[in-house]
Amino acid sequence: MSHVAWVVCWASAGLLVHTFAGYPLLVWMHARLRPRPVVREPILPTVSIVLAVHDGAAFIEAKLANLQRLDYPAALVDIVVACDGCHDATAALARRSTHARLAVLDFPNRRGKAACLNDAVAITRGDVLLFTDVRQRLSPVALRELVANLADPTVGAVGGELHMEHVRTGFAQGVDAYWRYEKAIRHAEALSGSTVGVSGALHAMRRSLFSPLPPGTVLDDVLLPMRVAAQGMRVVFEPKAMAWDRPSQQPADERRRKIRTLAGNFQLVQLAPWLLLPWSNPLWFRFVSHKLLRLMAPWLIVALAVSTGVLATRHPLYAVAFGGLLSGGALLVLARCLPPLARWLPLRIALAFFYLNLFAAQALLAFARNRRLHLW
């Protein structure tokens, strides 16, 4: 029993360290020691902006006005808005836009984002596809900064940087800190080769590299860039192309969105099993380290707690580790009971880490039982 506990303890500890510290350090060192700079040029290709939306009446007018303010020649841009079974006035409000090259697709039945993106891309004319979501505001230079990366013939897709604003609560501050950590990893991945995902709020790709998404795909912002990489092209990150969003202020507000997103990772492997094959996926190590091990993290933490508990009487090291895990859990409970404590930086980061891993555990159950996961 103790031998099994020893193996479980060190295996789970090693994988956790690799996931949250080792892998980020490896890609950072790779980016510093063997950088792969992008040859950026101020090019002006034709661009089709694709926007899929479900019940977005509260945001659609502001979003289209924001897109019209992009610092890019209007004659080179067309916009396709795909309304996914909207029950509100999204389509009617979109048609009020004065943009001369706007098409609105109003689908009466709700089919999911992937189906809408496929239909929208099918009628586009641009050499570059810009994907964005209805809620986020884009910086005026976002489009120019993204396409400048596509002047490099080795680059097939590029993601923008998502910033959080109106970060008020301790939980939101923790989520913002965790998102900054995530962006640092993506930046290092891009500088050393390719990143394994982009922000759904803002990313662009060569239209020639797009192929229809499988019906029901949740994480189009991971599958599309992974397909680009599989075609031998780079996926990079452009911090000057910015989008702004508001984080959830409380865990309950974040729960549904995050569980759906994390469950989408399980679905991704089901839809594209080639991602698990090192000879088919050129970003296999990055995909496993950055995506799959994150999904395993909550179970690894449980395994570490149980195994150190079993070994606590065998060696002081395991007793200290077990005590540390218990103390961390007690602090999290205390922070939940006394919200002012959650504003202390270490605790708010710990709370965000706890909830994100809790949601990852729940995501497995959500994927197993929710066959309508694709409906947003």
Side-chain angles (χ1 to χ4, degrees):
M1 179 64 179
S2 61
H3 178 71
V4 173
W6 182 88
V7 172
V8 170
C9 175
W10 287 102
S12 55
L15 288 172
L16 284 168
V17 170
H18 171 75
T19 302
F20 295 108
Y23 173 69
L25 180 61
L26 282 174
V27 291
W28 179 81
M29 290 178 63
H30 192 178
R32 290 294 296 267
L33 299 176
R34 299 185 62 184
R36 294 183 60 189
V38 175
V39 180
R40 299 173 80 257
E41 297 288 346
I43 60 173
L44 292 172
T46 55
V47 177
S48 293
I49 301 177
V50 179
L51 175 63
V53 56
H54 171 70
D55 287 352
F59 305 100
I60 189 65
E61 289 182 298
K63 181 67 176 191
L64 291 175
N66 175 233
L67 294 177
Q68 287 187 267
R69 290 194 294 269
L70 291 174
D71 180 21
Y72 205 86
L76 299 179
V77 177
D78 62 271
I79 303 173
V80 181
V81 177
C83 300
D84 185 26
C86 295
H87 297 108
D88 60 9
T90 301
L93 293 172
R95 291 190 178 102
R96 291 183 187 177
S97 173
T98 58
H99 194 282
R101 297 160 65 88
L102 171 69
V104 179
L105 304 179
D106 189 7
F107 301 109
N109 298 319
R110 190 177 175 193
R111 301 175 299 155
K113 184 179 180 181
C116 289
L117 292 180
N118 290 339
D119 289 342
V121 170
I123 68 167
T124 58
R125 294 168 289 180
D127 294 323
V128 172
L129 299 173
L130 175 71
F131 296 99
T132 185
D133 288 335
V134 72
R135 194 174 63 185
Q136 296 86 10
R137 184 179 83 257
L138 309 186
S139 61
V141 298
L143 181 52
R144 279 184 182 267
E145 296 294 345
L146 287 176
V147 299
N149 290 269
L150 297 176
D152 189 325
T154 69
V155 174
V158 53
E161 179 162 4
L162 180 63
H163 290 274
M164 298 298 177
E165 57 183 357
H166 303 289
V167 180
R168 297 191 298 269
T169 65
F171 174 77
Q173 291 168 356
V175 170
D176 183 49
Y178 192 81
W179 178 237
R180 291 173 187 270
Y181 159 81
E182 169 68 18
K183 288 191 293 186
I185 296 174
R186 291 188 184 188
H187 198 192
E189 286 176 336
L191 289 175
S192 59
S194 287
T195 182
V196 297
V198 293
S199 170
L202 178 62
H203 63 104
M205 65 180 292
R206 300 182 191 273
R207 192 187 188 284
S208 60
L209 298 178
F210 180 90
S211 57
L213 292 159
T217 301
V218 173
L219 294 186
D220 55 277
D221 51 3
V222 177
L223 185 55
L224 287 176
M226 293 301 292
R227 282 177 167 181
V228 167
Q231 295 178 71
M233 305 289 279
R234 292 179 64 188
V235 181
V236 298
F237 177 73
E238 178 50 71
K240 294 179 183 177
M242 293 178 283
W244 285 271
D245 198 1
R246 299 185 180 190
S248 301
Q249 302 299 325
Q250 300 298 334
D253 301 328
E254 179 74 357
R255 181 178 179 275
R256 182 178 180 276
R257 186 196 70 82
K258 197 64 181 177
I259 288 177
R260 179 179 178 274
T261 301
L262 291 166
N265 285 284
F266 292 105
Q267 185 213 44
L268 191 65
V269 173
Q270 180 187 53
L271 293 175
W274 60 268
L275 292 170
L276 298 178
L277 306 176
W279 53 87
S280 299
N281 182 1
L283 301 182
W284 178 83
F285 177 73
R286 295 185 176 203
F287 178 72
V288 171
S289 299
H290 194 160
K291 294 294 182 182
L292 297 190
L293 288 180
R294 295 267 187 99
L295 298 176
M296 291 178 59
W299 313 109
L300 293 172
I301 293 170
V302 171
L304 183 62
V306 172
S307 59
T308 53
V310 171
L311 297 169
T313 59
R314 305 274 178 167
H315 193 282
L317 174 64
Y318 302 112
V320 170
F322 184 61
L325 289 168
L326 289 179
S327 299
L331 280 174
L332 289 172
V333 172
L334 189 61
R336 287 197 64 185
C337 296
L338 300 173
L341 283 179
R343 293 188 175 275
W344 183 41
L345 179 61
L347 266 184
R348 68 181 185 229
I349 293 175
L351 271 174
F353 181 80
F354 165 76
Y355 278 112
L356 291 175
N357 280 284
L358 175 63
F359 298 155
Q362 294 173 328
L364 177 59
L365 302 176
F367 170 69
R369 67 188 181 204
N370 186 2
R371 296 307 171 192
R372 292 171 62 81
L373 188 69
H374 61 289
L375 298 181
W376 39 352

